[in-house]
Amino acid sequence: MVALTSVFTTLFAAALSITGVVAAPVNQTLSARSAAPAAPHFVAYDDKWITPPSAADLEGYNVYALTFWRPNAPVDQAQNWAGLDVATRTLALTNYRAAGIKTVVSAFGADFFPTSGSPALDPTQTADQLAAWVIQYGLDGVDIDYEDYTAMNKKDGSAEQWLITFTTELRKKLPASDYFISHAPLAPWFSPIYTSGGYLKVDQQVGSLIDWYNVQFYNDNAEYSTCDGLINTSSATYPNTALFQIVAAGVAADKLVIGKPATSADAPQGGYMSASDLASCLQQATAKNWNAGVSVWQYPDADAAWIKTVRSLAFPE
């Protein structure tokens, strides 16, 4: 592992040089953090064991999300980040910020269950641990990818209350003046079929503490695979969960980032659209005064060329 980290760091520095990014002095103080950036947000999740991309590689994005933080130890690209030496992380963050790119860590992920797991995690203690990691590793904020299906599907309020308590504590430790917090809920969790409230209740209770939602409009079979199903009217399976139906339920439009997979392999359970088709959907949404942006699972399948195509009609650079 030590040898891999050394090679990883060397390759990263070389990549910066090759792509023409100016290497800031390793002892340079990082630029001050700021409040959450305004919409639109263009978020690239990165879960692969790869050299962190240069700022040039991320052209077209303004948020780079490392996945995943977990209480016992980070995994995948978050683990890679923690394994870099301080100088290399400082260099990366300096160059990202100079290019207008914020860096966050995404917590939990699809195969981690904070509420229904054994043992269940204490939401306050878990928030404290996550906030400490964000601060330790110099990040601009955090993304919460809570996918505890068992807890949410109970419809007994346990998932919602866990998220409310967790988010409240997390914001205490990561003030809005310096850090931003996004969540990445599954689109169906905004449906009224979740009689305990689902993410509508989370938004009602702590939405003021959450800067935006990277809504996962995928992994639900054929849902959200057409512009109409994504933007206007979802099916009876998950009613009232298309973009503007969620807005009608009371969630601010500028907080609803449309999340999509880069390829069908990135979301084998459905919801994939080509970059050009997604661009057309975004154009329709912006015509109705939506401008929140796009998140994608995942880089480098969704590279600079992908996001350029996606942005081309509604958000040209």
Side-chain angles (χ1 to χ4, degrees), residues 129-147:
Q129 292 171 338
L130 174 55
W133 200 92
V134 169
I135 294 167
Q136 177 183 356
Y137 289 103
L139 303 180
D140 298 298
V142 63
D143 177 75
I144 308 306
D145 184 10
Y146 177 96
E147 298 190 41

Side-chain angles (χ1 to χ4, degrees), residues 2-20:
V2 173
L4 177 58
T5 301
S6 176
V7 171
F8 188 70
T9 302
T10 301
L11 288 173
F12 176 65
L16 292 177
S17 175
I18 291 170
T19 54

Side-chain angles (χ1 to χ4, degrees), residues 80-107:
N80 273 345
W81 185 261
L84 297 173
D85 61 71
V86 173
T88 303
R89 284 197 304 270
T90 300
L91 173 62
L93 289 170
T94 299
N95 285 320
Y96 289 160
R97 289 174 186 163
I101 300 167
K102 303 289 188 178
T103 309
V104 303
V105 69
S106 187

Side-chain angles (χ1 to χ4, degrees), residues 101-123:
I101 300 167
K102 303 289 188 178
T103 309
V104 303
V105 69
S106 187
F108 309 134
D111 56 351
F112 192 83
F113 313 109
T115 308
S116 66
S118 182
L121 299 181
D122 177 86

Side-chain angles (χ1 to χ4, degrees), residues 48 210 253 271 289 296:
K48 300 189 177 182
I210 300 168
N289 298 316
V296 64

Side-chain angles (χ1 to χ4, degrees), residues 56 69 79 94 108 110 144 154 168 185 210 231 247 258 269 292:
W69 177 88
Q79 182 181 358
T94 299
F108 309 134
I144 308 306
K154 284 182 178 179
T168 301
I210 300 168
I231 302 298
V247 173
I258 292 175
Q269 295 179 30

Side-chain angles (χ1 to χ4, degrees), residues 129-251:
Q129 292 171 338
L130 174 55
W133 200 92
V134 169
I135 294 167
Q136 177 183 356
Y137 289 103
L139 303 180
D140 298 298
V142 63
D143 177 75
I144 308 306
D145 184 10
Y146 177 96
E147 298 190 41
D148 195 333
Y149 286 85
T150 298
M152 191 65 78
N153 288 341
K154 284 182 178 179
K155 302 178 185 178
D156 63 357
S158 60
E160 293 91 337
Q161 190 55 55
W162 196 97
L163 284 162
I164 289 164
T165 302
F166 172 83
T167 302
T168 301
E169 179 66 13
L170 190 62
R171 180 51 87 194
K172 288 179 182 177
K173 295 300 172 68
L174 298 176
S177 58
D178 297 314
Y179 300 93
F180 61 91
I181 297 173
S182 62
H183 281 222
L186 310 178
W189 289 357
F190 286 98
S191 176
I193 67 173
Y194 288 92
T195 52
S196 55
Y199 250 89
L200 290 177
K201 182 175 181 179
V202 173
D203 183 68
Q204 291 162 4
Q205 295 292 315
V206 292
S208 62
L209 307 181
I210 300 168
D211 293 290
W212 72 82
Y213 301 102
N214 296 312
V215 185
Q216 296 184 49
F217 286 103
Y218 55 93
N219 276 343
D220 295 292
N221 299 314
E223 290 284 343
Y224 321 116
S225 57
T226 67
C227 286
D228 188 57
L230 172 64
I231 302 298
N232 299 314
T233 307
S234 62
S235 77
T237 304
Y238 298 113
N240 297 316
T241 58
L243 175 67
F244 285 106
Q245 290 178 311
I246 299 173
V247 173
V251 184

